[in-house]
């Protein structure tokens, strides 16, 4: 069941209120899940049920994506602002330094949250920010094309195309290695999410010059890359390892850019291994749930 929470964020124009949609399930140490650009929290559904047997799993729609509201006018979608906003979100939910796992844009945000000291471990799945100039231009071109395609298709046509494995491959083959396995209704929903995301354009515009260049000493970090990632190529993984020498670099055989659907058990295991390392390093358990927002559409407004 989805819920919403509103909270105050620090931004260049000054304090503003953001409202985010999330799903929360399970008990244990908190684990924050962050999706990629144009996607939504449902991208994590193949693995969230597995992880919730051990963790307090919080999957969020990033601001301007999915069912979350866009950032307030004048607030930029840059890395520092959004990562800080996610820290404020955690505080509003009563969570202190969760484990975090992110995919693509979400992986970059997870690493930035690690740099800011907001989390206890990071699992980054095909994270953005380790590209060459040519690779970034290619990835952005593919994303723009996917967005244009999503916006050009009438919903009835989209639903018809998604019924066949070949249609699902045409719609999502850039991000999944096994798009035919994706449920038709899930493909329709994520295509509509891409079509309607007000944060898409501003996020891409802010991401042009972004490179992640920081080491994260003392923090358990795993960089995992699908061997069949067609958007951010696997060769970017070793660059990430050189940037963060203490990170574990993991290959995800047969997985695409969004690996959670291609091999849920493997992805859940990689996230769990990293979180276990983070729990061992901290020796603490802040997993007691303190919901400050509950019920579909309900929310606790913090500092508004």
């Amino acid at each position: 069941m989805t819920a919403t929470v509103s909270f105050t964020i620090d931004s260049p124009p000054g304090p503003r209120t953001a409202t985010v949609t999330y799903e929360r399930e399970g008990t244990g140490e908190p684990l924050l899940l962050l999706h990629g650009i144009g996607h939504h929290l449902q991208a994590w559904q193949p693995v969230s049920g597995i992880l919730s047997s051990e963790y307090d799993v919080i999957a969020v729609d990033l601001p301007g994506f999915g069912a979350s509201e866009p950032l307030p006018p004048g607030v930029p979608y840059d890395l520092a602002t959004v990562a800080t906003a996610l820290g404020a979100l955690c505080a509003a939910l009563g969570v202190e330094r969760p484990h975090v796992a992110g995919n693509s844009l979400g992986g970059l945000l997870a690493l930035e949250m690690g740099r800011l000291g907001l989390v206890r471990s990071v699992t980054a799945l095909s994270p953005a920010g380790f590209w060459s100039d040519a690779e970034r231009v290619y990835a952005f071109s593919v994303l723009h094309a996917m967005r244009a395609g999503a916006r050009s298709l009438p919903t009835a046509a989209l639903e018809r195309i998604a019924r066949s494995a070949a249609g699902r491959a045409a719609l999502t083959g850039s991000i999944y290695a096994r798009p035919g396995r994706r449920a038709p209704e899930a493909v329709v929903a994520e295509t509509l999410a891409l079509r309607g995301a007000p944060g898409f354009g501003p996020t891409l515009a802010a991401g042009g010059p972004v490179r992640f260049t920081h080491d994260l000493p003392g923090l358990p970090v795993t960089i995992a890359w699908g061997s069949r990632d067609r958007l951010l190529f696997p060769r970017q993984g070793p660059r990430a390892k050189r940037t963060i020498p203490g990170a574990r670099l993991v290959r995800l055989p047969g997985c695409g850019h969004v690996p959670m659907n291609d091999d849920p058990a493997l992805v859940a295991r990689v996230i769990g291994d990293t979180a276990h390392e983070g729990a061992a390093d901290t020796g603490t358990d802040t997993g007691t749930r303190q919901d400050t927002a509950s019920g579909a559409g309900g929310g606790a407004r913090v500092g508004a």
Side-chain angles (χ1 to χ4, degrees), residues 231-244:
L231 186 66
L232 299 180
F233 301 124
R235 61 176 174 260
Q236 296 173 36
R239 293 180 200 148
K241 171 69 174 175
R242 289 193 292 271
T243 301
I244 311 171

Side-chain angles (χ1 to χ4, degrees), residues 173-245:
S174 296
I175 60 173
Y176 297 117
R178 302 178 178 95
R181 294 184 181 181
R182 194 77 170 140
E185 58 272 18
V187 169
V188 171
E190 62 194 350
T191 305
L192 293 176
L194 174 60
R195 174 197 294 179
F200 182 89
T203 298
L204 274 190
V210 169
R211 302 288 189 280
F212 193 83
T213 59
H214 305 280
D215 191 10
L216 301 176
L219 183 71
V221 176
T222 295
I223 307 292
W225 228 285
S227 65
R228 296 173 61 188
D229 192 331
R230 302 183 184 98
L231 186 66
L232 299 180
F233 301 124
R235 61 176 174 260
Q236 296 173 36
R239 293 180 200 148
K241 171 69 174 175
R242 289 193 292 271
T243 301
I244 311 171

Side-chain angles (χ1 to χ4, degrees), residues 263-293:
D263 196 335
L266 175 59
V267 170
R269 185 164 69 249
V270 169
I271 294 171
D273 287 347
T274 313
H276 287 158
E277 185 181 353
D281 284 353
T282 60
T284 59
D285 182 0
T286 60
T288 302
R289 289 188 51 163
Q290 302 178 46
D291 272 314
T292 58

Side-chain angles (χ1 to χ4, degrees), residues 2-9 16-24 32 41 58-63 67-70 85-95 290-304:
T2 59
T4 60
V5 62
S6 297
F7 52 93
T8 299
I9 61 173
R16 296 290 188 272
T17 298
T19 301
V20 165
T21 298
Y22 68 97
E23 290 183 354
R24 192 170 188 176
L32 183 68
L41 63 83
I58 306 163
V60 304
D61 278 333
L62 295 172
S68 288
E69 294 183 9
L86 291 170
L89 165 67
C90 291
L93 294 176
V95 170
Q290 302 178 46
D291 272 314
T292 58
S294 60
R301 185 170 296 274
V302 181

